Amino acid sequence: MKKENFVRVREICGGWGLYASSNEQTQLLYAISEAGELAKSIAMNDRDAARDDIGDILVCLINAYELGRRHNKLEFQADFIANLNSSILAFSDLLNDLGGAILHGGGYISMCDNLATIASNLMLTIDECLEQAISEIEKRKGKIVNGVFVKEANDTFSKS
């Protein structure tokens, strides 16, 4: 990675005030979100979107590194940190299980257990999360392309 790109990301994000308002864990979690976008781009065989997604992940990782370098410790209450750490561990296990399922199949109960842990840490139940998803997907309009649901351009109910 070119040093000037690394410096430019820090200048831009620092100018936004990101380093004063974010933390390392938040940036790593956002990187995971962007990794999901990358998985979607790969599944859709969309090279241009994949390029953008990889860049977005790199920005998150640069920001996480910079925040970790600036702060030696988290600035949150102990119970929040414990829940956050538990959620991050469960999310890591979930991603590991997903990777294993892609290669070998199975692991679905473990994945649901990890999602239940994350939901519980957010004071949610797995059922209310599923009910929310159902209420959104039942309104969506679109079609399946290469095994992936593609929403209609005027579908305002789903997120991109």
Side-chain angles (χ1 to χ4, degrees), residues 47-77:
R47 186 174 180 267
D48 292 332
R51 179 188 306 117
D52 183 58
D53 298 333
I54 291 167
D56 289 344
I57 293 167
L58 286 170
V59 168
C60 292
L61 294 177
I62 291 167
N63 288 331
Y65 171 81
E66 181 64 17
L67 285 158
R69 189 183 68 75
R70 290 180 183 207
H71 304 121
N72 292 327
K73 61 180 182 173
L74 294 173
E75 301 171 359
F76 302 107
Q77 298 174 347

Side-chain angles (χ1 to χ4, degrees), residues 21-32:
S21 62
S22 190
N23 62 63
E24 185 178 6
Q25 284 75 14
T26 297
Q27 291 301 307
L28 291 171
L29 288 169
Y30 200 75
I32 292 169

Side-chain angles (χ1 to χ4, degrees), residues 16 49 54 97 107 123 127 130-132 134:
W16 293 338
I54 291 167
D97 288 346
M123 294 188 281
D127 286 320
L130 182 56
E131 289 163 8
Q132 173 65 32
I134 290 168

